[in-house]
Amino acid sequence: MPPAPRPVDLRIDARWIAPVEPPGVLADHALIVDDGRVVAMLPGADASAAYSPRQTVVRPSHLVIPGLVNAHAHSAMSLMRGIADDVALQPWLEQHIWPCESRFVSPEFVRDGTLLACAEMIRSGITTCSDMYFYPDAAAGAYDAAGLRAVVGVPILDFATRYAATAEDYLMHGLAARDAWRHAPLLSFALAPHAPYTVSDATFTRALTYARQLDLPLETHLAETRDEVDSARAATGATTLGRLDRLGVTGPDFIAIHGVHLDATDIARLAAHGCHVVHCPASNMKLASGIAPVAALLQAGVNVALGTDGAASNNRLDILSEMRLACLLAKVSTGDAATLPAAEALAMATINGARALGLDRVTGSLQPGKDADLVAVDLAALPLQPVFDPVSHLVHVADRSCVSDVWVRGARILADGALTTLDEAAIRAQALVWQQRLLTSS
Ligand SMILES: [Zn+2]
């Protein structure tokens, strides 16, 4: 007699599955999930013989992919979406964002803004977000409520804000938040000195010491604008990456966000040290910062992930659209249409992001034993027909309205297009309250 089918939590019958590792597409397979983890992907008849699921979800026109990783965001800034369009980075920060933050940012602002961002990200197929903002304790609470996986960045600056007075204060507040959330299964922390132009050598060195002792990733905005790199050269004789390299910051736990203005030496350094770069194409284009040398970074062997940056400079939190922009920018900037095929963009949006954040053993691809962070994308709509290559369609044709279901660690947080963990009406109402406050103060 054949063995009785093994009871499992969930079976998803999908038209296509793109596991990312290995590359390629499985057609008409079932994905088996138990106890929050991927168990197997196999043809339907084999699945019926081997497994007895407590729940079956049939997705006959869908592509199932690993949950998307947004490797850089400032989630609470969603409450400032659209308040300052059409300005470059420095005036955007100095004349718009920092004055607004100095008046309004509070734990309540961060919680409400992060919940708004979580709702948008879940609807966009994002299951992991690497965040960097004030009051990380409040942000952690929002991610926990949403059931979203997050790497909460501990912000560090050398100037005082409502949140903290000194660099040491920023560190201590952030580490206290980390301690408070140490048992939350979907949360981890990183140290996030803001940028080379807002953080001194001494503060970078201090952050590095903590990062190494606590085994945390260290992330910073880097080489985002030409001005930043030129000023660094004038002041230190080195590029901003060269300056951080002298301090010993570069290493396999270092995440350089943006990396728009990197020279060949910088790229070789990043590759030699096993560093990671987070490419944020929409934000870089909107602030007119430039085009990151993604093709050269990938060719050098640097792990490149994708991020949205905050909604105040994007203005959306949508990794599906970042994938497409990354492909198009890489092609047009190199003059080579073969650069950055769709499958490579999908890897950047999933496993590369997980690797940058130190989560690649847990998420980023559909391999047995990894957490079941999954997204179902419906490719049935007329503008997507015909479907020759579902991964190409995911990157170049589908948009986030096609995302039907999202699971994080096996928990379904978007079911048939409905959020299951968040109260959309309450989030919308709070966004309107904050909009009124921001408007009446301007
Ligand atoms: Zn940023």
Side-chain angles (χ1 to χ4, degrees):
M1 256 180 62
R6 172 185 156 189
V8 291
D9 290 334
L10 174 65
R11 166 179 169 160
I12 303 168
D13 287 331
R15 176 70 183 92
W16 302 279
I17 300 172
V20 174
E21 287 183 315
V25 174
L26 305 169
D28 298 318
H29 272 51
L31 192 155
I32 307 297
V33 174
D34 194 43
D35 198 21
R37 296 205 165 80
V38 174
V39 173
M41 283 158 287
L42 67 179
D46 298 349
S48 300
Y51 299 101
S52 163
R54 281 175 272 276
Q55 184 191 16
T56 298
V57 176
V58 179
R59 289 289 172 256
S61 55
H62 298 59
L63 170 65
V64 172
I65 57 170
L68 299 171
V69 177
N70 184 359
H72 178 58
H74 309 282
S75 292
M77 293 180 83
S78 287
L79 290 173
M80 293 186 272
R81 190 196 318 265
I83 64 162
D85 285 343
D86 311 321
V87 280
L89 178 67
Q90 285 310 325
W92 179 79
L93 278 174
E94 291 166 13
Q95 294 165 27
H96 300 279
I97 298 302
W98 286 342
C100 185
E101 287 176 336
S102 73
R103 303 188 63 166
F104 292 104
V105 170
S106 63
E108 295 73 28
F109 179 97
V110 170
R111 181 175 170 86
D112 290 344
T114 308
L115 285 172
L116 175 63
C118 285
E120 180 184 1
M121 288 194 282
I122 294 168
R123 289 194 167 286
S124 305
I126 293 164
T127 58
T128 299
C129 175
S130 178
D131 192 2
M132 179 197 288
Y133 208 62
F134 307 105
Y135 300 100
D137 183 57
Y143 289 112
D144 188 59
L148 208 60
R149 191 182 299 282
V151 178
V152 181
V154 169
I156 304 167
L157 289 159
D158 269 325
F159 58 82
T161 59
R162 285 165 67 103
Y163 169 62
T166 64
E168 196 65 16
D169 266 0
Y170 283 95
L171 255 170
M172 292 308 117
H173 289 347
L175 294 177
R178 173 178 174 263
D179 201 39
W181 289 96
R182 66 189 178 283
H183 299 305
L186 298 175
L187 299 182
S188 57
F189 282 73
L191 295 189
H194 172 258
Y197 54 90
T198 50
V199 176
S200 67
D201 284 1
T203 300
F204 266 114
T205 303
R206 186 117 178 95
L208 178 66
T209 305
Y210 274 97
R212 296 263 157 91
Q213 279 180 2
L214 300 171
D215 196 21
L216 301 175
L218 186 116
E219 57 180 352
T220 193
H221 296 94
L222 185 100
E224 183 172 358
T225 64
R226 170 62 58 200
D227 270 1
E228 176 199 320
V229 178
D230 289 348
S231 306
R233 263 193 207 285
T236 68
T239 63
T240 38
L241 180 68
R243 175 186 152 211
L244 297 190
D245 195 39
R246 283 182 197 163
L247 297 174
V249 170
T250 45
D253 295 326
F254 177 60
I255 303 167
I257 298 155
H258 297 304
V260 174
H261 297 281
L262 299 168
D263 63 21
T265 308
D266 292 333
I267 292 172
R269 269 197 188 114
L270 289 166
H273 290 287
C275 305
H276 313 272
V277 170
V278 181
H279 179 37
C280 305
S283 177
N284 295 161
M285 286 196 285
K286 188 159 182 290
L287 296 170
S289 300
I291 304 174
V294 170
L297 286 162
L298 291 169
Q299 191 153 28
V302 177
N303 180 53
V304 182
L306 286 178
T308 57
D309 217 344
S313 69
N314 185 308
N315 299 354
R316 55 172 72 194
L317 307 179
D318 177 4
I319 288 292
L320 283 173
S321 68
E322 302 293 334
M323 280 197 285
R324 180 157 192 257
L325 292 173
C327 287
L328 298 180
L329 275 180
K331 292 174 195 304
V332 76
S333 63
T334 57
D336 178 2
T339 303
L340 204 55
E344 196 164 5
L346 177 58
M348 286 168 67
T350 53
I351 188 63
N352 292 13
R355 194 171 289 134
L357 301 172
L359 295 173
D360 49 316
R361 273 191 239 166
V362 179
T363 189
S365 64
L366 303 183
Q367 290 186 312
K370 282 196 180 185
D371 282 7
D373 293 359
L374 314 168
V375 176
V377 184
D378 191 356
L379 304 185
L382 206 57
L384 288 95
Q385 304 314 309
V387 183
F388 294 107
D389 176 348
V391 172
S392 164
H393 267 35
L394 178 76
V395 172
H396 290 294
V397 194
D399 61 49
R400 56 187 173 178
S401 69
C402 303
V403 172
S404 65
D405 303 85
V406 174
W407 291 263
V408 175
R409 219 187 208 199
R412 199 176 183 187
I413 60 174
L414 187 74
D416 282 323
L419 297 169
T420 65
T421 51
L422 297 175
D423 180 344
E424 224 159 340
I427 290 171
R428 182 178 285 107
Q430 281 310 111
L432 289 175
V433 168
W434 284 108
Q435 182 187 15
Q436 285 307 317
R437 285 182 195 159
L438 267 63
L439 277 174
T440 51
S441 75
S442 59

